[in-house]
Amino acid sequence: MTVTAANHPATVLLGAQAGAVTLPVCDHYSGVEARMRKSLALQAEMAQEFGACVFDVTLDCEDGAPVGGEAEHAALVTELALAAAPGMRVGVRVHPVDHAAFDSDVSFIAGRAGARLSHLMVPKVESLADVVRAVQALDAAGASQLPLHVLIESPLAVRNAFDIAAHARVQSLSFGLMDFVSAHAGAIPADGMGVAGQFAHSLVVRAKLEIASAAHAHGKVPSHCVVTEFSNGEAMRMAARRAAREFGYTRMWSIHPSQIRPILEAFAPDEEQIHQAAQILDAAIGASWAPVSFEGTLHDRASYRHFWQVLVRAHATGRVLPHQAQAFFVPERQPAT
């Protein structure tokens, strides 16, 4: 059956979830000039390889700017964002809302490059009031269209995560593991920041689950924390797999180029899942979205939604789609947003 905007899965299936945010599964951070330039070049190279922009680059002012050099660093990231290749997704992490450089960061960066940016990341968000403060600064800079991504980095922020996720301008909630552990005054041991401890300590696990749940409750994207052991490839793959399969995260931070591909692999459906999803949706369209039997199992719109999301994730991670699924992602056949 021909796929049109009217019978497209995004039109038929999502309903109340139609406004749910979909983002690339990897968010790559860099703050040193040479590394920022290399990150942007790698982003463009991999977009050519995969046929889509498969990871975001977030240029970092919070940890990247030297003390006393905040204005100069803001000017640099603005220049880099404006010079990024067409079609690439580039964001900026500014200073926290209570930092002296916050207003100047937002005014300069969003004021000059807001139309080019994919998002603005605000760290150390504690409450809805911090989100409102950031939105007001963006609006004052003439960037009222720019989405916010926020970092949840303290017990209070975890407590307020559902209120934060509910704000219309917030697209994504990220878990700030290092600051979260530090905020407990030694009550969480240092190994809670490591790749093993962060999946074992009860307070860290609870925070991860609360953030993921808050994001999903409001159709936003939960973004998993960093793995600092970037030279340990197996640890990186394990953490990414667990974040995706056990904790409900649909996005993850990278702090080294070697982490990007393991994140893409971990968050992508496997080939069997992709083919199954394509076959089931093809059968659903043939049945005008009525229930169907596939390999002895009944499927209806509830499972159709799941399999559509499998294909969306496959497309976002640059996986090759079966022929019958490729039509779902032809721009002229997709529903208007």
Side-chain angles (χ1 to χ4, degrees):
M1 179 176 290
T2 301
V3 177
T4 67
N7 71 0
H8 195 282
T11 302
V12 176
L13 299 176
L14 296 186
Q17 295 179 315
V21 176
T22 301
L23 298 173
V25 301
C26 181
D27 190 10
H28 180 65
Y29 275 71
S30 57
V32 176
E33 180 176 359
R35 293 173 187 167
M36 290 191 288
R37 294 187 183 277
K38 288 180 180 178
S39 297
L40 292 168
L42 179 62
Q43 183 186 47
E45 290 170 12
M46 289 183 66
Q48 288 290 322
E49 175 186 347
F50 285 94
C53 183
V54 292
F55 69 93
D56 286 355
V57 170
T58 300
L59 307 174
D60 190 12
C61 288
E62 185 189 21
D63 292 337
V67 176
E70 290 87 357
E72 292 79 7
H73 197 77
L76 171 63
V77 301
T78 301
E79 169 198 327
L80 293 175
L82 289 170
M88 298 299 97
R89 288 179 49 87
V90 181
V92 173
R93 176 164 71 163
V94 296
H95 287 86
V97 296
D98 59 357
H99 191 281
F102 172 76
D103 286 309
S104 57
D105 275 354
V106 176
S107 176
F108 190 93
I109 297 166
R112 288 165 174 74
R116 177 62 187 85
L117 296 177
S118 58
H119 62 275
L120 195 81
M121 166 60 79
V122 182
K124 296 178 174 58
V125 169
E126 293 280 280
S127 67
L128 180 59
D130 290 343
V131 175
V132 172
R133 169 93 165 80
V135 167
Q136 289 171 341
L138 278 175
D139 290 350
S144 59
Q145 84 295 340
L146 191 61
L148 281 176
H149 294 188
V150 302
L151 258 168
I152 306 297
E153 303 181 72
S154 74
L156 179 60
V158 171
R159 158 67 178 78
N160 293 325
F162 280 82
D163 290 339
I164 292 167
H167 196 285
R169 288 285 285 279
V170 172
Q171 272 193 337
S172 175
L173 276 66
S174 292
F175 179 43
L177 171 66
M178 313 294 280
D179 281 279
F180 180 81
V181 171
S182 299
H184 284 76
I188 301 176
D191 62 12
M193 294 184 279
V195 72
Q198 66 169 276
F199 289 101
H201 195 283
S202 298
L203 285 174
V204 179
V205 168
R206 174 180 173 272
K208 289 187 182 189
L209 294 174
E210 285 290 308
I211 292 166
S213 182
H216 287 300
H218 293 287
K220 310 302 173 65
V221 175
S223 187
H224 194 262
C225 57
V226 299
V227 170
T228 56
E229 301 95 325
F230 56 80
S231 61
N232 187 337
E234 182 51 39
M236 180 66 220
R237 284 186 287 274
M238 180 275 290
R241 285 196 301 268
R242 295 197 68 182
R245 298 177 188 180
E246 299 176 32
F247 286 77
Y249 282 79
T250 55
R251 180 171 164 98
M252 186 169 180
W253 283 37
S254 160
I255 55 171
H256 190 275
S258 66
Q259 296 181 328
I260 295 172
R261 289 181 187 271
I263 290 172
L264 293 178
E265 292 165 7
F267 282 80
D270 62 33
E271 187 171 339
E272 181 180 349
Q273 291 174 309
I274 295 169
H275 280 273
Q276 181 189 45
Q279 289 175 309
I280 289 172
L281 289 180
D282 189 50
I285 290 177
S288 298
W289 300 105
V292 300
S293 175
F294 180 80
E295 296 182 350
T297 300
L298 179 68
H299 292 281
D300 60 15
R301 293 196 184 200
S303 57
Y304 297 159
R305 278 193 293 273
H306 168 79
F307 291 111
W308 166 239
Q309 290 155 350
V310 168
L311 292 181
V312 170
R313 199 162 61 251
H315 178 70
T317 49
R319 292 305 186 258
V320 176
L321 298 177
H323 176 74
Q324 68 264 45
Q326 292 175 11
F328 296 142
F329 299 95
V330 176
E332 58 267 25
R333 296 180 183 174
Q334 294 179 352
T337 57

